[in-house]
């Protein structure tokens, strides 16, 4: 997902400028609080990055680095080894993973990574991978809780995620405090779901398609092009999100693997063409991680840049992914925790790393000239790297970026809808109102960027991290108990037994 470090390039209008000017002080003030900087020598970075990485390290130690010990278990669960068609829920383990990945794998994996290695050099890639591996455990914890405390209504619709486990975590304070904190979390998810996940992604999709079709000289350069494109795009979005998570899952379980395979193959083509440069690139990554040259802050600076890219890309700890994972068909909440830990692995360790390697190996002038500056757009760095395959190949990259944005949009529409349901009720009418609202903002996003509003939405999203991780700390003993029981049952060969002690109806919180 991630909109940070990105900028919409659609033409600005007077309305655009007026709203940005009005919203600028609000976005600046709020962003200054959420992204409060910590300074270490010449390096400044947001405190939220330290909050996310520290949580990932603490969870990894507390759970005995389960992301490594349980990797095979994850693969067994995702292929349905312990599943039953009678398990309660709405979607399969694979569909839940695909839906959550569609919300994280996106523009940030291309543009954000490009900027990160331009700023931090090749060494940022190493620390990005380390942070991604640690973040796997955070996803394990939050997605287990998202399933454990979920509710399933009479129609089989699931309501889970932080909206269910945060009130339980915070009841140690008081009911009013728990309600306020969970309410703030829901409002923040709602804001980002409509603006960052809806309006911004639509804006970027139009910008990429417009560029791929000739830019200012193409057929999408006309005065009415953005409106027409926005309406068509909104209709496509509406056709998917009107069916809820089941419809979204049916799209993402095909779209996400297809996009991922296409993108990885594209990267492999660049690596294949520049095969002789791969050993040198790997050497530069390790050397740059521990002995960076010319990077402000030295090893600490490049480490922070890598950590920040990872934290902002895979969203481990934000609390968004548990919303999608909570809809899974399972009787054992911890099973989805094992599935969810694959998410940062795919998003950061595979996709982000492939982007970084591609840019480093291609070694195009746009990258070498920008090293240490980060002034050139990250998509441009990736596009130049892909041009080493063929001059027309960046067009396919633009199409891939547009599809990434579309998949992100539909998943964040679901996240926002669940926040809407928490705030305004679970009726079909309320859900329809929100879905129409998303479609309206899709059209608006294609016409205008409202960049300051998007900045505000980014800050709202990362406000969620402070609230969510605090709740995870309070409930992690519950997850550890579930984990030990699950692994013991797996060793005893009783995971598929519906009479197993832990196999209780999932709408009855423990």
């Amino acid at each position: 997902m991630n909109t940070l470090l990105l900028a919409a390039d659609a033409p600005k209008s007077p309305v655009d400028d007026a709203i940005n000017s009005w919203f600028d002080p609000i976005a600046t003030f709020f962003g200054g609080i959420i992204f409060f900087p910590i300074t270490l020598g010449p390096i400044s970075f947001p405190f939220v990055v330290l909050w996310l990485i520290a949580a990932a390290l603490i969870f990894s130690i507390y759970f005995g680095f389960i992301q490594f010990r349980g990797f095979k278990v994850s693969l067994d669960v995702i292929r349905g080894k312990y599943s039953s068609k009678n398990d309660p829920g709405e979607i399969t383990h694979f569909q839940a993973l695909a839906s959550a990945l569609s919300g994280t794998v996106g523009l940030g994996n291309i543009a954000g990574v490009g900027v990160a290695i331009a700023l931090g050099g090749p060494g940022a890639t190493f620390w990005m991978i380390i942070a991604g591996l640690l973040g796997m455990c955070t996803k394990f914890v939050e997605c287990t809780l998202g399933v454990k405390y979920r509710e399933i209504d009479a129609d089989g619709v699931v309501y889970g995620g932080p909206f269910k486990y945060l009130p339980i975590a915070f009841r140690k304070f008081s009911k009013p405090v728990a309600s306020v904190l969970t309410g703030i979390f829901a409002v923040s998810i709602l804001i980002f779901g409509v603006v960052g996940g809806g309006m911004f992604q639509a804006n970027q999709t139009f910008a990429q398609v417009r560029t791929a079709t000739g830019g200012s000289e193409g057929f999408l350069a006309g005065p009415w092009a953005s409106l027409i494109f926005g309406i068509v795009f909104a209709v496509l979005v509406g056709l998917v999100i009107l069916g809820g998570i089941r419809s979204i899952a049916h799209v993402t379980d095909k779209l996400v693997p297809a996009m991922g395979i296409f993108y990885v193959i594209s990267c492999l083509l660049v690596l294949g063409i520049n095969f002789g440069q791969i050993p040198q690139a790997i050497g530069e990554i390790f050397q740059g991680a521990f002995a960076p040259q010319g990077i402000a802050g030295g090893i600490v600076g490049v480490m922070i840049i890598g950590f920040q890219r990872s934290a902002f890309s895979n969203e481990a700890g934000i609390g968004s992914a548990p919303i999608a994972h909570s809809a899974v068909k399972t009787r054992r909440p911890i099973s989805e925790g094992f599935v969810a830990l694959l998410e940062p692995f795919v998003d950061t360790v595979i996709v982000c790393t492939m982007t970084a390697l591609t840019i480093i190996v291609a070694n195009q002038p746009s990258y070498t000239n920008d090293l240490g500056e980060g002034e050139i757009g990250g998509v441009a760095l990736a596009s130049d790297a892909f041009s080493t395959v063929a001059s027309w190949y960046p067009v396919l990259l633009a199409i891939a970026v547009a599809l990434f944005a579309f998949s992100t949009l539909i998943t964040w529409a679901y996240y926002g809808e669940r926040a809407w349901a928490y705030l305004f009720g679970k009726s079909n009418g309320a859900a329809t109102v929100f879905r129409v609202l998303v479609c309206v903002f899709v059209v608006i996003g294609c016409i205008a960027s409202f960049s300051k509003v998007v900045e505000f939405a980014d800050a709202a999203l990362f406000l969620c991290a402070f609230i969510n991780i605090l709740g995870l700390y309070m409930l992690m003993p519950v997850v550890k108990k579930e984990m030990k029981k699950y692994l013991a049952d797996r060793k005893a060969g009783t995971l598929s037994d519906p009479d197993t002690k832990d196999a209780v109806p999932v709408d009855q919180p423990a």
Side-chain angles (χ1 to χ4, degrees):
M1 181 276 310
N2 197 271
T3 63
L4 290 163
L5 300 175
L6 303 175
D9 57 2
K12 299 295 187 296
S13 68
V15 174
D16 218 10
D17 291 336
I19 291 179
N20 283 331
S21 297
W22 181 83
F23 219 82
D24 182 42
I26 299 174
T28 301
F29 175 76
F30 188 46
I33 296 174
I34 303 304
F35 299 116
F36 177 78
I38 294 178
T39 301
L40 294 176
I43 291 295
S44 291
F45 61 97
F47 174 72
V48 69
V49 174
L50 178 62
W51 181 252
L52 290 165
I53 297 300
L57 180 59
I58 290 170
F59 291 140
S60 295
I61 295 172
Y62 182 79
F63 289 97
F65 292 91
I66 189 62
Q67 63 265 53
F68 306 125
R69 295 190 295 116
F71 202 85
K72 184 179 184 302
V73 179
S74 301
L75 298 178
D76 286 341
V77 174
I78 200 171
R79 66 188 180 90
K81 182 175 181 179
Y82 308 114
S83 299
S84 167
K85 63 180 181 180
N86 296 319
D87 289 340
E90 296 187 82
I91 56 179
T92 66
H93 287 292
F94 179 77
Q95 288 176 326
L97 178 64
S99 296
L101 276 171
S102 70
T104 59
V105 176
L107 298 170
N109 297 77
I110 302 172
V113 171
V115 173
I117 63 171
L119 284 171
T125 306
F126 176 84
W127 296 111
M128 181 178 65
I129 293 172
I130 296 299
L133 292 173
L134 293 175
M136 292 168 68
C137 197
T138 305
K139 282 286 175 89
F140 171 79
V141 177
E142 61 183 347
C143 292
T144 295
L145 294 171
V147 177
K148 183 168 182 61
Y149 296 107
R150 70 183 179 176
E151 295 177 359
I152 303 178
D153 68 16
D155 297 322
V157 177
V158 174
Y159 296 91
F163 312 118
K164 296 300 179 183
Y165 65 71
L166 288 180
I168 294 173
F170 296 143
R171 67 186 176 190
K172 295 180 181 179
F173 299 140
S174 68
K175 189 171 182 179
V177 171
S179 297
V180 168
L181 288 175
T182 308
I184 293 173
F185 179 92
V187 170
S188 299
I189 287 287
L190 179 60
I191 291 172
F192 191 85
V194 173
V195 178
M199 187 178 78
F200 178 82
Q201 297 298 330
N203 179 271
Q204 287 294 295
T205 301
F206 174 68
Q208 290 299 322
V209 174
R210 182 173 179 268
T211 300
T213 55
S216 60
E217 304 298 324
F219 71 92
L220 288 178
W224 296 97
S226 59
L227 176 61
I228 295 172
F229 182 92
I231 293 172
V232 172
F233 195 57
V235 169
L236 293 176
V237 170
L239 290 175
V240 177
I241 67 175
L242 286 174
I245 187 60
R246 299 182 193 187
S247 176
I248 293 171
H250 282 307
V251 173
T252 56
D253 72 354
K254 299 175 182 64
L255 184 59
V256 170
M259 289 189 312
I261 291 171
F262 168 76
Y263 186 71
V264 169
I265 289 176
S266 298
C267 291
L268 289 174
L269 284 174
V270 176
L271 295 177
I273 291 172
N274 301 278
F275 184 77
Q277 304 300 318
I278 294 178
Q280 179 181 342
I282 294 175
E284 289 177 4
I285 288 173
F286 281 95
Q287 182 180 0
F290 298 100
Q293 299 293 322
I295 302 301
I299 184 173
V300 175
V302 73
M303 182 188 302
I304 289 169
I305 290 171
F307 281 177
Q308 179 168 303
R309 178 66 261 140
S310 176
F312 286 173
S313 176
N314 61 51
E315 299 175 29
I318 297 294
S320 52
I323 303 172
H325 285 283
S326 67
V328 72
K329 291 182 177 181
T330 185
R331 294 181 181 276
R332 304 293 291 268
I334 198 74
S335 68
E336 193 58 20
F338 280 105
V339 170
L341 65 78
L342 295 173
E343 199 178 317
F345 183 81
V346 174
D347 176 275
T348 305
V349 180
I350 296 180
V351 180
C352 287
T353 302
M354 292 298 287
T355 299
L357 269 177
T358 298
I359 294 173
I360 296 168
V361 167
N363 201 33
Q364 291 289 80
S366 58
Y367 165 59
T368 55
N369 295 338
D370 200 35
L371 195 60
E373 302 295 334
E375 295 179 353
I376 298 176
V379 172
L381 296 180
S383 182
D384 286 349
F386 283 122
S387 68
T388 60
V389 175
S391 60
W392 48 265
Y393 212 84
V395 175
L396 294 183
L397 174 64
I399 295 173
V401 168
L403 291 175
F404 278 140
F406 179 78
S407 68
T408 297
L409 197 161
I410 60 177
T411 296
W412 268 98
Y414 176 70
Y415 294 164
E417 182 182 322
R418 282 297 170 262
W420 183 274
Y422 175 81
L423 294 167
F424 302 108
K426 303 174 183 178
S427 69
N428 291 332
T432 301
V433 169
F434 176 78
R435 292 165 185 170
V436 171
L437 182 65
V438 169
C439 291
V440 169
F441 269 82
V442 165
V443 177
I444 293 174
C446 291
I447 298 172
S449 66
F450 300 153
S451 58
K452 292 300 176 181
V453 181
V454 173
E455 286 182 21
F456 179 82
D458 269 331
L461 177 66
F462 284 92
L463 170 59
C464 294
F466 291 105
I467 298 173
N468 184 58
I469 288 177
L470 182 60
L472 299 185
Y473 283 140
M474 293 181 172
L475 292 176
M476 62 183 186
V478 175
V479 179
K480 193 166 192 176
K481 182 179 178 181
E482 291 260 340
M483 180 187 76
K484 289 181 176 179
K485 174 62 177 169
Y486 187 86
L487 294 177
D489 287 344
R490 181 175 183 269
K491 186 175 181 180
T494 60
L495 279 184
S496 300
D497 183 0
D499 295 323
T500 300
K501 181 181 178 181
D502 282 357
V504 297
V506 290
D507 59 343
Q508 295 179 11

